Amino acid sequence: MGKLDGFDYIKPNDIEEACKIMAQEGKSIKPFAGGTDLMVQMRAGKIKPELLMDIKGLRLDKIQYLPENKISIGALSTINSIIESELIRSKFPFIIEAAEEMASVQIRNRGTVGGNLCNAAPSADLAQPILATGGIAKVVGENGSREMDLDDFFIGPGKTALSSKEILTEIILDELPEYSGTAYIRLKRNAMDLALAGVATVVTIDEEGKCISAKIVLGAVGPTPIIAEEAANSLIETKLDKLAIEKAASIAEDLSKPIDDVRTNAWYRKKAVKNLTIKALELANRRAAEQLNANTKGGQTI
Ligand SMILES: Cc1cc2nc3c(=O)[nH]c(=O)nc-3n(C[C@H](O)[C@H](O)[C@H](O)COP(=O)(O)OP(=O)(O)OC[C@H]3O[C@@H](n4cnc5c(N)ncnc54)[C@H](O)[C@@H]3O)c2cc1C
């Protein structure tokens, strides 16, 4: 393990101050949120920032309901604050499922949503349900603020569409339509391990139980989370029966681009993607059907 030295530290009190620092500084800057990824990488000598900009003073930790059926999650919301949020639990239960899979209580108390997304590990657990939900990322930096579609956020392992002088401030997710079910399932070797493969799904059904929209996002089986559009589209207009689900899972397997690494090999990951996709779709469909059933009495919609 390397020594943690050779860098400066600064802690702005608000966004304006952070933007000024990013605009003026000639040094290589790294935003520092919970530090649970950053410190490990710095100690291993993988990154050597000249300036650590501690962003914990920026008050970006709100989780709130917005007009037009949108939900905002501040980038500095900790993983545990996600787990404790009734709003997230009721609107996006699969984000809770992903958060509960992550690390330990101690890491979840420090680690943030923004850090998990901006670190851009292909195995990042929150990336998959967040991408499957859809919405936008809000960013500020040396050139002011901008918004980007979450679909465009990840560009490679450890790389996002943010410049080195921008910070993520919040993500704004679209509330799911009625009769939507979600699920996140991942495979790991032991309790504290990163995912070998993970799948997040959303399915929305109509009153006959037919699928009217679907999203499938695969994690840890490509350089970025993979939005398996072709697999999801194959489910539209089906009753999400065994055949339809297995077909979508086979397409998802074909779309995955896993590698061999210390945790497992590419062949195993491909098989895992297929099985996880089947399980996640079955679970999401069951949850959507439960909502539909809860809204009907004696076969009539109430
Ligand atoms: C023991 C252990 C177990 C773990 N288990 C898991 C796991 O199961 N699943 C999982 O997904 N992850 C896991 N992690 C990784 C890590 O805890 C999470 O990714 C966490 O959410 C990172 O958040 P952070 O606030 O600590 O990020 P930081 O370490 O502070 O930052 C990570 C990266 O993102 C950048 N960054 C942070 N916030 C912003 C922002 N708002 N704008 C722009 N850039 C930003 C930083 O500059 C840095 O490059 C684990 C880590 C450890 C040490």
Side-chain angles (χ1 to χ4, degrees):
M1 283 286 179
K3 265 199 314 172
L4 275 179
D5 59 10
F7 62 87
D8 291 328
Y9 170 92
I10 194 162
K11 187 173 183 186
N13 289 312
D14 53 42
I15 299 266
E16 289 70 37
E17 201 185 333
C19 288
K20 266 189 208 145
I21 294 167
M22 288 188 283
Q24 286 162 9
E25 274 297 338
K27 296 175 181 167
S28 67
I29 305 181
K30 270 281 179 193
F32 169 40
T36 62
D37 278 316
L38 198 58
M39 289 297 137
V40 175
Q41 290 160 9
M42 286 174 69
R43 279 188 185 278
K46 285 188 185 158
I47 51 167
K48 293 184 176 139
E50 292 167 306
L51 178 65
L52 278 195
M53 185 171 73
D54 190 336
I55 55 175
K56 285 190 288 295
L58 303 186
R59 295 180 294 279
L60 296 172
D61 56 358
K62 276 205 189 75
I63 300 173
Q64 56 187 329
Y65 202 80
L66 300 179
E68 295 177 13
N69 307 328
K70 294 188 185 296
I71 287 112
S72 158
I73 303 179
L76 287 162
S77 305
T78 63
I79 310 302
N80 272 342
S81 72
I82 293 286
I83 293 172
E84 284 158 14
S85 164
E86 282 309 317
L87 183 59
I88 303 297
R89 193 167 286 274
S90 64
K91 300 294 179 191
F92 310 115
F94 68 158
I95 296 184
I96 303 281
E97 280 171 340
E100 285 176 341
E101 285 283 349
M102 288 173 68
S104 61
V105 174
Q106 292 87 341
I107 299 282
R108 295 198 297 258
N109 265 336
R110 297 272 318 168
T112 62
V113 174
N116 194 239
L117 298 179
C118 293
N119 191 56
S123 60
D125 282 296
L126 293 180
Q128 296 151 73
I130 284 174
L131 281 186
T133 302
I136 56 157
K138 283 195 159 189
V139 168
V140 296
E142 54 179 345
N143 300 318
S145 59
R146 67 184 175 112
E147 292 179 357
M148 75 176 89
D149 203 312
L150 279 168
D151 286 3
D152 302 325
F153 192 82
F154 298 103
I155 55 176
K159 290 201 184 83
T160 69
L162 269 64
S163 84
S164 62
K165 293 202 170 174
E166 282 183 319
I167 53 173
L168 174 69
T169 55
E170 64 181 314
I171 52 166
I172 299 183
L173 303 179
D174 301 319
E175 194 177 343
L176 299 170
E178 64 174 353
Y179 312 143
S180 294
T182 69
Y184 176 71
I185 308 183
R186 78 172 197 175
L187 198 66
K188 60 186 174 186
R189 294 172 302 178
N190 55 52
M192 286 286 284
D193 201 15
L194 298 176
L196 305 179
V199 176
T201 60
V202 183
V203 297
T204 306
I205 56 174
D206 65 12
E207 292 191 353
E208 269 81 54
K210 242 193 241 162
C211 177
I212 50 174
S213 79
K215 268 284 190 73
I216 301 173
V217 181
L218 317 173
V221 290
T224 63
I226 295 172
I227 301 174
E229 206 173 332
E230 202 185 323
N233 286 346
S234 76
L235 296 164
I236 307 297
E237 290 292 314
T238 76
K239 282 260 188 182
L240 291 160
D241 53 19
K242 195 167 182 283
L243 208 66
I245 286 180
E246 280 187 359
K247 183 178 168 201
S250 295
I251 301 174
E253 180 185 350
D254 289 345
L255 291 172
S256 67
K257 301 182 193 81
I259 53 164
D260 297 338
D261 68 10
V262 285
R263 287 195 292 282
T264 189
N265 61 44
W267 178 87
Y268 185 77
R269 282 195 159 103
K270 272 203 169 273
K271 299 299 151 209
V273 161
K274 183 167 181 186
N275 286 324
L276 292 174
T277 306
I278 291 174
K279 283 193 182 142
L281 284 172
E282 284 172 349
L283 186 55
N285 184 36
R286 200 155 58 238
R287 289 171 172 170
E290 278 164 12
Q291 271 186 38
L292 178 62
N293 291 339
N295 264 11
T296 56
K297 215 180 198 176
Q300 296 214 321
T301 305
I302 53 167

